[in-house]
Short mmCIF file of all heavy atoms in Angstrom, two decimals:
data_model
loop_
_atom_site.label_atom_id
_atom_site.label_comp_id
_atom_site.label_asym_id
_atom_site.label_seq_id
_atom_site.Cartn_x
_atom_site.Cartn_y
_atom_site.Cartn_z
N SER O 1 -66.56 -95.86 41.78
CA SER O 1 -66.99 -96.44 40.51
C SER O 1 -66.06 -96.00 39.38
O SER O 1 -65.84 -96.73 38.41
CB SER O 1 -68.42 -96.01 40.18
OG SER O 1 -68.89 -96.66 39.06
N ALA O 2 -65.46 -94.81 39.48
CA ALA O 2 -64.57 -94.26 38.47
C ALA O 2 -63.19 -94.85 38.61
O ALA O 2 -62.28 -94.60 37.83
CB ALA O 2 -64.49 -92.76 38.56
N GLY O 3 -62.94 -95.58 39.73
CA GLY O 3 -61.64 -96.16 39.97
C GLY O 3 -60.71 -95.30 40.81
O GLY O 3 -59.51 -95.51 40.93
N GLY O 4 -61.32 -94.30 41.48
CA GLY O 4 -60.57 -93.43 42.37
C GLY O 4 -60.34 -94.01 43.74
O GLY O 4 -61.03 -94.97 44.14
N ASP O 5 -59.33 -93.49 44.49
CA ASP O 5 -59.05 -93.94 45.82
C ASP O 5 -59.06 -92.72 46.78
O ASP O 5 -58.07 -92.04 46.90
CB ASP O 5 -57.68 -94.62 45.86
CG ASP O 5 -57.32 -95.17 47.20
OD1 ASP O 5 -58.21 -95.33 48.05
OD2 ASP O 5 -56.11 -95.38 47.50
N PRO O 6 -60.26 -92.45 47.37
CA PRO O 6 -60.35 -91.25 48.25
C PRO O 6 -59.44 -91.31 49.44
O PRO O 6 -59.44 -92.35 50.16
CB PRO O 6 -61.83 -91.29 48.72
CG PRO O 6 -62.50 -92.20 47.75
CD PRO O 6 -61.51 -93.23 47.31
N VAL O 7 -58.57 -90.32 49.65
CA VAL O 7 -57.68 -90.30 50.77
C VAL O 7 -58.14 -89.36 51.87
O VAL O 7 -57.72 -89.50 53.03
CB VAL O 7 -56.25 -89.87 50.30
CG1 VAL O 7 -55.63 -90.97 49.46
CG2 VAL O 7 -56.26 -88.55 49.55
N ALA O 8 -59.03 -88.45 51.52
CA ALA O 8 -59.62 -87.51 52.53
C ALA O 8 -60.95 -87.01 51.99
O ALA O 8 -61.19 -86.93 50.80
CB ALA O 8 -58.65 -86.40 52.77
N PHE O 9 -61.80 -86.62 52.95
CA PHE O 9 -63.14 -86.10 52.62
C PHE O 9 -63.37 -84.78 53.40
O PHE O 9 -63.47 -84.85 54.65
CB PHE O 9 -64.23 -87.08 52.96
CG PHE O 9 -65.49 -86.93 52.12
CD1 PHE O 9 -66.19 -88.05 51.66
CD2 PHE O 9 -65.98 -85.67 51.80
CE1 PHE O 9 -67.32 -87.88 50.89
CE2 PHE O 9 -67.13 -85.51 51.07
CZ PHE O 9 -67.82 -86.62 50.60
N VAL O 10 -63.30 -83.68 52.76
CA VAL O 10 -63.47 -82.35 53.43
C VAL O 10 -64.89 -81.93 53.28
O VAL O 10 -65.47 -81.84 52.14
CB VAL O 10 -62.55 -81.30 52.81
CG1 VAL O 10 -62.78 -79.94 53.48
CG2 VAL O 10 -61.07 -81.69 53.00
N MET O 11 -65.59 -81.64 54.36
CA MET O 11 -66.99 -81.24 54.35
C MET O 11 -67.10 -79.89 55.01
O MET O 11 -66.26 -79.49 55.83
CB MET O 11 -67.89 -82.26 55.01
CG MET O 11 -67.80 -83.62 54.40
SD MET O 11 -69.02 -84.74 55.02
CE MET O 11 -70.53 -84.14 54.32
N GLY O 12 -68.17 -79.16 54.66
CA GLY O 12 -68.38 -77.83 55.24
C GLY O 12 -69.75 -77.33 54.88
O GLY O 12 -70.54 -78.02 54.27
N ALA O 13 -70.01 -76.09 55.32
CA ALA O 13 -71.29 -75.45 54.99
C ALA O 13 -71.10 -74.00 54.60
O ALA O 13 -70.09 -73.37 55.05
CB ALA O 13 -72.23 -75.54 56.20
N ARG O 14 -71.95 -73.52 53.74
CA ARG O 14 -71.80 -72.15 53.29
C ARG O 14 -73.18 -71.64 52.82
O ARG O 14 -73.99 -72.42 52.31
CB ARG O 14 -70.81 -72.10 52.13
CG ARG O 14 -70.30 -70.69 51.79
CD ARG O 14 -69.20 -70.80 50.77
NE ARG O 14 -68.97 -69.44 50.25
CZ ARG O 14 -68.15 -68.55 50.81
NH1 ARG O 14 -67.55 -68.86 51.96
NH2 ARG O 14 -67.94 -67.32 50.30
N ALA O 15 -73.42 -70.35 53.03
CA ALA O 15 -74.74 -69.78 52.64
C ALA O 15 -74.87 -69.76 51.12
O ALA O 15 -75.85 -70.24 50.56
CB ALA O 15 -74.87 -68.38 53.21
N VAL O 16 -73.83 -69.22 50.45
CA VAL O 16 -73.82 -69.17 48.95
C VAL O 16 -72.41 -69.46 48.54
O VAL O 16 -71.45 -69.15 49.24
CB VAL O 16 -74.25 -67.78 48.43
CG1 VAL O 16 -75.73 -67.57 48.61
CG2 VAL O 16 -73.44 -66.64 49.00
N PRO O 17 -72.23 -70.08 47.38
CA PRO O 17 -70.83 -70.40 46.89
C PRO O 17 -70.07 -69.11 46.56
O PRO O 17 -70.66 -68.14 46.16
CB PRO O 17 -71.06 -71.18 45.59
CG PRO O 17 -72.52 -71.63 45.65
CD PRO O 17 -73.28 -70.60 46.43
N ASP O 18 -68.78 -69.14 46.80
CA ASP O 18 -67.92 -68.03 46.46
C ASP O 18 -67.74 -67.99 44.93
O ASP O 18 -67.53 -69.03 44.28
CB ASP O 18 -66.54 -68.19 47.10
CG ASP O 18 -65.65 -67.02 46.85
OD1 ASP O 18 -65.83 -65.97 47.47
OD2 ASP O 18 -64.73 -67.17 45.96
N SER O 19 -67.91 -66.77 44.33
CA SER O 19 -67.90 -66.70 42.85
C SER O 19 -66.50 -67.00 42.30
O SER O 19 -66.43 -67.42 41.13
CB SER O 19 -68.32 -65.27 42.46
OG SER O 19 -67.43 -64.33 43.03
N ARG O 20 -65.46 -66.82 43.11
CA ARG O 20 -64.11 -67.02 42.59
C ARG O 20 -63.62 -68.48 42.75
O ARG O 20 -63.10 -69.09 41.83
CB ARG O 20 -63.14 -66.06 43.27
CG ARG O 20 -61.75 -66.07 42.69
CD ARG O 20 -60.84 -65.02 43.27
NE ARG O 20 -59.48 -65.24 42.84
CZ ARG O 20 -58.62 -66.03 43.42
NH1 ARG O 20 -59.00 -66.75 44.52
NH2 ARG O 20 -57.37 -66.18 42.96
N THR O 21 -63.73 -69.01 44.00
CA THR O 21 -63.20 -70.38 44.26
C THR O 21 -64.22 -71.34 44.79
O THR O 21 -63.85 -72.44 45.22
CB THR O 21 -62.06 -70.27 45.25
OG1 THR O 21 -62.52 -69.66 46.46
CG2 THR O 21 -60.89 -69.47 44.69
N PHE O 22 -65.53 -71.00 44.73
CA PHE O 22 -66.65 -71.81 45.25
C PHE O 22 -66.61 -71.93 46.80
O PHE O 22 -67.67 -71.78 47.44
CB PHE O 22 -66.65 -73.22 44.62
CG PHE O 22 -67.93 -73.94 44.83
CD1 PHE O 22 -69.02 -73.71 44.00
CD2 PHE O 22 -68.10 -74.84 45.87
CE1 PHE O 22 -70.24 -74.37 44.22
CE2 PHE O 22 -69.29 -75.50 46.11
CZ PHE O 22 -70.38 -75.28 45.23
N VAL O 23 -65.45 -72.20 47.35
CA VAL O 23 -65.30 -72.28 48.85
C VAL O 23 -64.72 -70.97 49.33
O VAL O 23 -64.12 -70.25 48.58
CB VAL O 23 -64.45 -73.49 49.25
CG1 VAL O 23 -65.10 -74.77 48.89
CG2 VAL O 23 -63.05 -73.40 48.64
N GLY O 24 -64.83 -70.77 50.65
CA GLY O 24 -64.23 -69.55 51.26
C GLY O 24 -62.73 -69.71 51.42
O GLY O 24 -62.13 -70.76 51.20
N SER O 25 -62.05 -68.62 51.82
CA SER O 25 -60.58 -68.63 51.92
C SER O 25 -60.10 -69.63 52.97
O SER O 25 -59.07 -70.27 52.83
CB SER O 25 -60.10 -67.20 52.21
OG SER O 25 -60.74 -66.69 53.40
N GLY O 26 -60.85 -69.63 54.13
CA GLY O 26 -60.45 -70.57 55.20
C GLY O 26 -60.61 -72.04 54.78
O GLY O 26 -59.64 -72.83 55.03
N LYS O 27 -61.68 -72.35 54.13
CA LYS O 27 -61.88 -73.76 53.67
C LYS O 27 -60.88 -74.09 52.55
O LYS O 27 -60.38 -75.22 52.48
CB LYS O 27 -63.32 -73.92 53.14
CG LYS O 27 -63.72 -75.34 52.76
CD LYS O 27 -63.64 -76.29 53.95
CE LYS O 27 -64.68 -76.00 55.01
NZ LYS O 27 -64.62 -77.04 56.08
N LEU O 28 -60.51 -73.09 51.73
CA LEU O 28 -59.54 -73.32 50.69
C LEU O 28 -58.17 -73.68 51.29
O LEU O 28 -57.45 -74.54 50.79
CB LEU O 28 -59.46 -72.10 49.78
CG LEU O 28 -58.57 -72.20 48.54
CD1 LEU O 28 -59.05 -73.28 47.59
CD2 LEU O 28 -58.50 -70.87 47.79
N ALA O 29 -57.83 -72.96 52.35
CA ALA O 29 -56.54 -73.23 53.02
C ALA O 29 -56.57 -74.58 53.64
O ALA O 29 -55.54 -75.33 53.63
CB ALA O 29 -56.31 -72.15 54.10
N GLU O 30 -57.68 -75.01 54.22
CA GLU O 30 -57.85 -76.33 54.80
C GLU O 30 -57.69 -77.43 53.73
O GLU O 30 -56.97 -78.44 53.93
CB GLU O 30 -59.19 -76.47 55.50
CG GLU O 30 -59.41 -77.83 56.18
CD GLU O 30 -60.86 -78.02 56.66
OE1 GLU O 30 -61.53 -76.98 56.88
OE2 GLU O 30 -61.26 -79.17 56.81
N ILE O 31 -58.30 -77.22 52.57
CA ILE O 31 -58.20 -78.20 51.47
C ILE O 31 -56.73 -78.27 50.99
O ILE O 31 -56.22 -79.38 50.74
CB ILE O 31 -59.11 -77.81 50.30
CG1 ILE O 31 -60.60 -77.86 50.71
CG2 ILE O 31 -58.89 -78.72 49.10
CD1 ILE O 31 -61.58 -77.26 49.73
N GLY O 32 -56.05 -77.10 50.85
CA GLY O 32 -54.67 -77.10 50.45
C GLY O 32 -53.75 -77.84 51.35
O GLY O 32 -52.83 -78.55 50.93
N GLU O 33 -53.99 -77.67 52.66
CA GLU O 33 -53.23 -78.39 53.67
C GLU O 33 -53.44 -79.90 53.60
O GLU O 33 -52.46 -80.69 53.66
CB GLU O 33 -53.65 -77.89 55.06
CG GLU O 33 -52.71 -78.30 56.17
CD GLU O 33 -53.16 -77.73 57.51
OE1 GLU O 33 -53.63 -76.58 57.56
OE2 GLU O 33 -53.04 -78.49 58.52
N GLN O 34 -54.66 -80.32 53.40
CA GLN O 34 -55.00 -81.75 53.22
C GLN O 34 -54.35 -82.31 51.97
O GLN O 34 -53.86 -83.47 51.98
CB GLN O 34 -56.53 -81.95 53.17
CG GLN O 34 -57.23 -81.68 54.49
CD GLN O 34 -57.24 -82.93 55.36
OE1 GLN O 34 -56.57 -83.91 55.09
NE2 GLN O 34 -58.00 -82.87 56.47
N VAL O 35 -54.34 -81.55 50.91
CA VAL O 35 -53.75 -81.98 49.63
C VAL O 35 -52.23 -82.23 49.86
O VAL O 35 -51.70 -83.28 49.37
CB VAL O 35 -53.96 -80.94 48.53
CG1 VAL O 35 -53.07 -81.25 47.30
CG2 VAL O 35 -55.39 -80.90 48.10
N ARG O 36 -51.55 -81.35 50.56
CA ARG O 36 -50.13 -81.50 50.78
C ARG O 36 -49.82 -82.70 51.72
O ARG O 36 -48.91 -83.46 51.53
CB ARG O 36 -49.53 -80.21 51.32
CG ARG O 36 -49.41 -79.10 50.28
CD ARG O 36 -48.70 -77.91 50.85
NE ARG O 36 -49.46 -77.19 51.86
CZ ARG O 36 -50.38 -76.28 51.59
NH1 ARG O 36 -50.65 -75.95 50.36
NH2 ARG O 36 -51.07 -75.71 52.59
N GLU O 37 -50.68 -82.81 52.77
CA GLU O 37 -50.48 -83.91 53.73
C GLU O 37 -50.68 -85.30 53.08
O GLU O 37 -49.90 -86.22 53.30
CB GLU O 37 -51.44 -83.74 54.88
CG GLU O 37 -50.98 -82.83 55.97
CD GLU O 37 -51.96 -82.72 57.17
OE1 GLU O 37 -52.77 -83.69 57.31
OE2 GLU O 37 -51.93 -81.72 57.86
N CYS O 38 -51.77 -85.41 52.27
CA CYS O 38 -52.12 -86.72 51.72
C CYS O 38 -51.45 -86.94 50.36
O CYS O 38 -51.67 -88.01 49.75
CB CYS O 38 -53.64 -86.82 51.56
SG CYS O 38 -54.53 -86.59 53.09
N CYS O 39 -50.73 -85.94 49.85
CA CYS O 39 -50.17 -86.03 48.50
C CYS O 39 -51.25 -86.34 47.44
O CYS O 39 -51.01 -87.22 46.59
CB CYS O 39 -49.04 -87.05 48.43
SG CYS O 39 -47.71 -86.68 49.58
N ALA O 40 -52.38 -85.70 47.54
CA ALA O 40 -53.50 -85.94 46.63
C ALA O 40 -53.17 -85.47 45.21
O ALA O 40 -52.53 -84.41 45.06
CB ALA O 40 -54.76 -85.23 47.13
N GLU O 41 -53.54 -86.26 44.24
CA GLU O 41 -53.29 -85.90 42.84
C GLU O 41 -54.41 -85.14 42.17
O GLU O 41 -54.22 -84.42 41.20
CB GLU O 41 -53.03 -87.17 42.00
CG GLU O 41 -51.73 -87.94 42.46
CD GLU O 41 -51.58 -89.27 41.77
OE1 GLU O 41 -52.51 -89.60 40.92
OE2 GLU O 41 -50.60 -89.93 41.99
#
């Protein structure tokens, strides 16, 4: 609706959000890899 074009959808589960980055270090690395692969803006 905002006019975005989703190139990837990363899902996961966590007991409580991380206070620093919301996601854990492993999930953060996975998101970073997907960003580089898909050239996400």
Side-chain angles (χ1 to χ4, degrees):
S1 186
D5 181 19
V7 291
F9 205 140
V10 176
M11 301 188 73
R14 194 173 168 84
V16 289
D18 183 76
S19 59
R20 186 174 171 275
T21 58
F22 194 83
V23 295
S25 55
K27 186 60 69 176
L28 185 62
E30 182 189 336
I31 294 169
E33 192 178 323
Q34 290 274 10
V35 167
R36 287 186 291 275
E37 277 182 21
C38 304
C39 299
E41 296 175 357

